[in-house]
Amino acid sequence: MRQGPDGIWQVSGYEEARAVLRSTATVQAGLGIETVEKLPSRFRRPVLYRDGPEHREDRRQTARFFTPRRVDEHYREVMVRVAEAQIDTIRDTGRGLLADAAFHLAIEVAGAVIGLTESRPGIRRRLERFFPEKFGTPGLTSPHGIRWLLRQNANWLRIYWGDVRPAVRARRRRRRDDLISHLLDEGCSAGEVLGECITFAAAGMVTTREFVNVAAWHLFGDAALLARYRAADEPGRIAILQEILRLEPVIGRLRRRTTAPLRLPGDGQDPGAEVTVPAGELVDVLLHQANLDGRTVGERPELLRPGRPMAAGAGAPGLSFGDGAHKCPGAAIALLETDVFLCRLFALPGIRMASPPRVGFKDEIASYELRGCEVVLTERT
């Protein structure tokens, strides 16, 4: 662990990173929280931006939407239906763009969980506008910042009118078993529901699209790994995807702010040393580096070895879904929908990658974006 020249502490060891994420002496930072904090106090913050007892209670009440049993019983059917429709399109046309197919899948699945099921045509375009490949810089200090702010406000309104308002109106008439109905039962306004929907859209749609693409890229590029994936049962395929995710976390950096002095053990280079981070400091948790900590993930951590033995308490994907109070609740959904799609994609005779993806990068969260990966069929029936 070290403090960078910008004053931000950086944590790269697995155990140290997990300790920061689990600590009650830290709160969420980054991910636009500075903008959210400027909202009126009466406005209910999305769960991503809350901490403490209120956050824990909200996670407890919504945990039922993300249990493995519910994922299997409620969402698998949606995953299969949408994945097979996308595969049918590739089969019929002989080609397809992975990012488009994956985003369509992620939108439908996350929409079922959230309750965005009455959307007007164009939800994909609205989300692409809200989550562009290149983000601007908000603010009123430059013409560029003002344009960005105006454009993003317009995007908020498009999603509200096109997706959230129709869903809210339908659920005010009749509640359903989804997140929006729960939020309405909690007394949330339509604007507060919008904030939660945007948060879950980013977590459940945008990140899953990237993971489907990076997992496919790995499988296309490694014949032995692809053969193993094709021959495996579902748990075996999930294990392969988890190992890919350990090496390729979609979000590679999380940020926290300390609210009290935080004592952390020394890293692998100086395990006997102890570091105390003062209150009020920013801490960057480098997930992509923590997942390569040999003390936890074993020998040759940079190699892709599905089923590798991990240290006690460490999951197969490492910290790629985070940890602690803000750990991603949709891990089981993301892994299953990725497998449901990819196992069908790679069952297509003669499927191959015609062009590799174009790689973009968002430094603020160490996140990759893959676009332009085209698949084609060399055998048509």
Side-chain angles (χ1 to χ4, degrees), residues 8 25 62 71 181 200 230 315 322 329 339:
I8 299 175
T62 58
V71 171
S181 295
F200 278 92
R230 282 171 163 160
D339 179 61

Side-chain angles (χ1 to χ4, degrees), residues 21-22 55 59 256 315 317-318 321-331:
L21 296 175
R22 291 184 175 183
H55 175 264
R59 289 292 297 265
R256 298 288 187 267
F321 289 111
D323 207 310
H326 284 280
K327 184 176 182 179
C328 175

Side-chain angles (χ1 to χ4, degrees), residues 157-355:
L157 289 174
R158 289 189 182 99
I159 293 175
Y160 174 75
W161 288 105
D163 306 292
V164 174
R165 187 170 182 268
V168 167
R169 294 182 70 180
R171 281 150 187 81
R172 289 198 191 282
R173 291 192 296 268
R174 181 174 64 86
R175 294 290 199 268
R176 302 180 195 177
D177 191 15
D178 53 35
L179 182 67
I180 290 179
S181 295
H182 166 76
L183 293 173
L184 292 176
D185 286 341
E186 289 289 294
C188 291
S189 67
E192 291 167 338
V193 172
L194 171 63
E196 292 285 10
C197 287
I198 292 294
T199 299
F200 278 92
M205 300 178 187
V206 177
T207 56
T208 302
R209 170 178 58 181
E210 304 309 332
F211 181 57
V212 170
N213 276 262
V214 80
W217 196 10
H218 272 273
L219 292 166
F220 275 120
D222 188 331
L225 184 67
L226 178 55
R228 179 173 175 178
Y229 181 79
R230 282 171 163 160
D233 58 8
E234 183 174 283
R237 296 193 304 269
I238 295 293
I240 291 172
L241 296 178
Q242 288 175 319
E243 176 68 352
I244 292 174
L245 186 60
R246 179 186 68 82
L247 292 173
E248 307 275 14
V250 180
I251 295 178
R253 179 188 298 124
L254 296 174
R255 179 167 289 183
R256 298 288 187 267
R257 184 181 296 278
T258 57
T259 57
L262 177 63
R263 297 174 61 184
L264 296 173
D267 59 22
Q269 296 175 340
D270 189 5
E274 195 174 73
V275 177
T276 299
V277 181
E281 296 288 298
L282 288 175
V283 181
D284 276 348
V285 183
L286 307 181
L287 304 181
H288 56 300
Q289 294 186 24
N291 283 351
L292 298 177
D293 187 340
R295 298 173 299 165
T296 299
V297 305
E299 298 180 353
R300 303 300 301 274
E302 77 283 358
L303 296 183
L304 199 158
R305 291 179 175 173
R308 65 166 57 239
M310 304 280 281
L319 295 173
S320 295
F321 289 111
D323 207 310
H326 284 280
K327 184 176 182 179
C328 175
I333 298 174
L335 288 167
L336 182 59
E337 69 178 291
T338 299
D339 179 61
V340 163
F341 177 77
L342 291 182
C343 74
R344 286 163 174 76
L345 177 72
F346 286 108
L348 290 172
I351 189 72
R352 69 177 182 85
M353 183 172 60
S355 57

Side-chain angles (χ1 to χ4, degrees), residues 40-262:
S41 58
R42 66 179 182 278
F43 192 90
R44 180 183 188 270
R45 270 62 173 167
V47 64
L48 176 66
Y49 302 107
R50 282 181 280 147
D51 285 282
E54 182 186 25
H55 175 264
R56 289 193 296 272
E57 177 61 19
D58 185 83
R59 289 292 297 265
R60 185 190 68 79
Q61 291 184 12
T62 58
R64 61 189 174 88
F65 295 115
F66 305 100
T67 64
R69 180 175 179 178
R70 184 181 179 91
V71 171
D72 185 63
E73 294 180 353
H74 288 253
Y75 310 136
R76 183 186 289 270
E77 182 180 350
V78 178
M79 297 174 188
V80 170
R81 172 176 55 79
V82 179
E84 289 185 347
Q86 294 300 302
I87 297 301
D88 285 345
T89 299
I90 294 174
R91 183 186 293 111
D92 293 342
T93 61
R95 62 182 60 245
L97 289 173
L98 274 187
D100 291 350
F103 201 31
H104 188 89
L105 172 69
I107 288 171
E108 291 287 332
V109 174
V113 179
I114 299 168
L116 293 175
T117 54
E118 283 76 24
S119 293
R120 297 172 182 172
I123 182 173
R124 176 180 152 188
R125 178 58 180 154
R126 290 189 290 274
L127 290 169
E128 286 176 335
R129 283 178 170 177
F130 195 89
F131 303 108
E133 289 189 46
K134 294 183 179 180
F135 278 91
T137 302
L140 300 175
T141 59
S142 69
H144 176 79
I146 294 172
R147 286 195 299 270
W148 183 92
L149 195 61
L150 292 173
R151 185 164 57 245
Q152 201 66 345
N153 284 340
N155 292 333
W156 276 93
L157 289 174
R158 289 189 182 99
I159 293 175
Y160 174 75
W161 288 105
D163 306 292
V164 174
R165 187 170 182 268
V168 167
R169 294 182 70 180
R171 281 150 187 81
R172 289 198 191 282
R173 291 192 296 268
R174 181 174 64 86
R175 294 290 199 268
R176 302 180 195 177
D177 191 15
D178 53 35
L179 182 67
I180 290 179
S181 295
H182 166 76
L183 293 173
L184 292 176
D185 286 341
E186 289 289 294
C188 291
S189 67
E192 291 167 338
V193 172
L194 171 63
E196 292 285 10
C197 287
I198 292 294
T199 299
F200 278 92
M205 300 178 187
V206 177
T207 56
T208 302
R209 170 178 58 181
E210 304 309 332
F211 181 57
V212 170
N213 276 262
V214 80
W217 196 10
H218 272 273
L219 292 166
F220 275 120
D222 188 331
L225 184 67
L226 178 55
R228 179 173 175 178
Y229 181 79
R230 282 171 163 160
D233 58 8
E234 183 174 283
R237 296 193 304 269
I238 295 293
I240 291 172
L241 296 178
Q242 288 175 319
E243 176 68 352
I244 292 174
L245 186 60
R246 179 186 68 82
L247 292 173
E248 307 275 14
V250 180
I251 295 178
R253 179 188 298 124
L254 296 174
R255 179 167 289 183
R256 298 288 187 267
R257 184 181 296 278
T258 57
T259 57
L262 177 63

